[in-house]
Amino acid sequence: RRIFWGPGRAVLATPAHRQESARAALVEAIGLETQLREIEAWIEQGWLQLQSDLNPAFEFDERQLRRRTDLRERYQSVIGKRAELVRLVPRLQFPPIYPPTLAFQFGERVRERTRLVERAEFASQQLEVYERVYEQAGQRRNEFLLQRSSYQLEWIIILLLLAQIVLVLVEMLGGHGVN
């Protein structure tokens, strides 16, 4: 009743009558580990991009307005990865079966050795950082757009007031010239 594994291969040493259930448990555990590894790789690849996206999270201006589609897509991608992880975590943290079966023990041993629960928790914390940065960037963008439209509205009001003053002056001057 032993497991030997490495990248891309595993060997099960178990009695023949239990080999099928042990293999199924091992394949499931390795599948979970693969899914988690893909999420971790995505997180690792995104750190440099996240660093360049920190500026819009604190200060948004006209130059960054061109990047808003990219920021929105990255935010949606983060939410997608977070959803994948949320669906994966319950499968990693299920309660032990009583009485424990050999297959369950194999799967449990693989999860323990690969530290799936701890890695999933760490990935969740990293995704939370991503989420916060992109939420803040979205908030700064909205504030910038609201402020810009507010300035435009103020200028329109100023121009209308000036036009009204000009019309009143023309009317006053026109009224004095006729008498």
Side-chain angles (χ1 to χ4, degrees), residues 10-21:
V11 175
L12 268 174
T14 181
H17 66 282
R18 294 187 177 167
Q19 196 162 21
E20 192 59 41
S21 62

Side-chain angles (χ1 to χ4, degrees), residues 59-119:
E59 184 179 355
F60 209 90
D61 57 22
E62 286 291 335
R63 289 174 299 164
Q64 287 141 351
L65 200 55
R66 288 176 260 143
R67 297 178 51 203
R68 71 180 172 185
T69 303
D70 296 335
L71 291 171
R72 180 178 50 240
E73 288 172 1
R74 282 195 283 281
Y75 179 67
Q76 290 170 342
S77 183
V78 167
I79 296 300
K81 288 300 174 189
R82 191 128 168 99
E84 283 180 43
L85 188 61
V86 165
R87 286 192 318 265
L88 183 63
V89 167
R91 294 172 53 203
L92 299 175
Q93 298 178 336
F94 55 87
I97 296 174
Y98 186 81
T101 63
L102 180 64
F104 177 78
Q105 289 174 351
F106 272 130
E108 185 70 20
R109 194 168 296 149
V110 171
R111 282 191 295 280
E112 285 176 9
R113 296 272 170 102
T114 55
R115 301 180 60 204
L116 291 180
V117 173
E118 293 87 357
R119 288 169 48 200

Side-chain angles (χ1 to χ4, degrees), residues 4 6 11 13 16 29 34 39 42 48 59-62 76-77 79 96 102-103 110 116 131 142 145 151 161 167-168:
F4 304 97
V11 175
T34 301
I39 293 171
W42 183 90
L48 288 176
E59 184 179 355
F60 209 90
D61 57 22
E62 286 291 335
Q76 290 170 342
S77 183
I79 296 300
L102 180 64
V110 171
L116 291 180
E131 195 174 347
N142 290 341
L145 291 174
Y151 287 152
L161 288 173
L167 288 174
V168 166

